[in-house]
């Protein structure tokens, strides 16, 4: 199985400051189609997860461009340029290239 | 607007069965692979199973193979998860999701306990 190592476990950030989360996979996430199925999700307290980014760097509709995704092969990063109060929750990376699909363990973003 | 609404959860004894349903609307259901994802209390997300858009292919995590069955009825735009031989470790919130294109349900709680 592909292991997704997500760091840090928690992050305390002041409003307006940047934040960065790393996700490293135990094998390349480039699929046979040439696409890399790496998603970033946010689960706000008491809510179901919501996808923010797909295919490494593509923003979902309605997601502010404060969010960005980057990376390739086995090394991926989610960045928030300026954290807002609405950003708090747990962030997960998800690989959808290889079965079984696997998630990172999550990064809890708290406001400082 | 994409809507995924799960139902069928609750309390069940170990060794018994339960069937979850997920009613989809707002998109052409039979165009998309669908998945179930679970989240044990206070824990992270775990992929459970995926079914292809036409139901011809199914995939499962090892811990549920032989016990859970994912299926779909495209005429009813509904996804199912038949869960047999339930164990206490299956206790979780189960989400219906379109993992590759986005869209999650609100989740349904399954508690396996005597």
């Amino acid at each position: 199985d592909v292991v997704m190592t997500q760091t840090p476990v928690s992050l305390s950030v002041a409003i307006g400051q940047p934040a960065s989360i790393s996700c490293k996979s135990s094998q390349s996430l480039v699929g046979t189609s040439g696409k890399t199925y790496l998603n970033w999700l946010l689960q706000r307290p008491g809510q179901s997860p919501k996808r923010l980014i797909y295919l490494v760097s593509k923003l979902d509709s309605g997601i502010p461009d404060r969010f960005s995704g980057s990376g390739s092969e086995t090394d991926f990063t989610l960045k928030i340029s300026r954290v807002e109060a609405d950003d708090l929750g747990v962030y997960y990376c998800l690989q959808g290239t290889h079965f079984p699909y696997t998630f990172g363990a999550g990064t809890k973003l708290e406001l400082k | 607007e994409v809507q995924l609404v799960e139902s069928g959860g609750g309390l069940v004894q170990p060794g018994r069965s339960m069937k979850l349903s997920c009613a989809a609307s707002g998109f052409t259901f039979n165009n998309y692979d669908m998945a179930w994802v679970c989240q044990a209390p206070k824990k992270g997300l775990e992929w459970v199973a995926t079914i292809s858009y036409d139901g011809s292919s199914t995939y499962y995590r090892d811990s549920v193979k032989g016990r859970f069955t994912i299926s779909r009825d495209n005429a009813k735009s509904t996804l199912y998860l038949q869960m047999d031989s339930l164990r206490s470790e299956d206790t979780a919130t189960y989400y219906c999701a379109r993992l590759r294109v986005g869209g999650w349900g609100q989740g349904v709680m399954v508690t396996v306990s005597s």
Side-chain angles (χ1 to χ4, degrees):
Chain A
D1 297 2
V2 178
V3 176
M4 303 297 286
T5 302
Q6 190 175 335
T7 55
V9 172
S10 64
L11 202 48
S12 183
V13 180
I15 299 287
Q17 294 301 302
S20 181
I21 300 171
S22 169
C23 192
K24 296 183 190 297
S25 58
S26 60
Q27 64 186 80
S28 173
L29 298 186
V30 180
T32 53
S33 63
K35 293 183 178 180
T36 301
Y37 292 97
L38 186 284
N39 295 347
W40 289 98
L41 310 165
L42 167 60
Q43 186 173 31
R44 295 186 175 97
Q47 295 186 18
S48 58
K50 178 179 180 177
R51 197 177 70 171
L52 304 174
I53 287 173
Y54 61 102
L55 294 174
V56 180
S57 60
K58 297 183 183 299
L59 257 61
D60 269 287
S61 175
I63 303 303
D65 60 7
R66 301 183 291 103
F67 290 90
S68 64
S70 63
S72 62
E73 299 282 348
T74 62
D75 202 342
F76 305 94
T77 302
L78 173 70
K79 291 185 178 178
I80 309 172
S81 59
R82 298 174 308 280
V83 169
E84 295 186 0
D86 194 44
D87 299 341
L88 73 89
V90 181
Y91 290 80
Y92 294 95
C93 56
L94 161 66
Q95 71 82 14
T97 299
H98 306 288
F99 284 113
Y101 292 168
T102 44
F103 293 85
T107 296
K108 187 173 185 178
L109 177 63
E110 299 170 314
L111 299 179
K112 189 181 289 184
Chain B
E1 180 194 1
V2 172
Q3 283 208 321
L4 298 168
V5 180
E6 301 94 338
S7 60
L11 175 64
V12 62
Q13 292 180 327
R16 303 297 291 265
S17 299
M18 178 172 277
K19 187 171 186 175
L20 305 181
S21 300
C22 171
S25 60
F27 65 100
T28 305
F29 183 69
N30 58 14
N31 281 357
Y32 296 94
D33 295 354
M34 296 295 298
W36 289 97
V37 174
C38 70
Q39 185 170 35
K42 306 291 187 185
K43 299 293 185 183
L45 300 166
E46 277 193 341
W47 170 80
V48 174
T50 288
I51 186 167
S52 61
Y53 67 98
D54 61 355
S56 62
S57 298
T58 56
Y59 309 86
Y60 299 91
R61 66 180 297 108
D62 283 350
S63 62
V64 307
K65 276 181 189 173
R67 299 190 301 121
F68 289 12
T69 302
I70 188 171
S71 62
R72 63 193 298 160
D73 185 335
N74 284 345
K76 295 182 178 179
S77 295
T78 302
L79 177 72
Y80 302 101
L81 185 67
Q82 175 69 43
M83 302 184 293
D84 299 323
S85 303
L86 281 160
R87 306 168 180 168
S88 57
E89 55 264 37
D90 296 321
T91 293
T93 296
Y94 285 77
Y95 296 101
C96 160
R98 298 188 318 171
L99 285 183
R100 277 197 171 180
V101 298
W104 290 64
Q106 84 288 352
V108 62
M109 184 69 199
V110 173
T111 303
V112 184
S113 175
S114 54

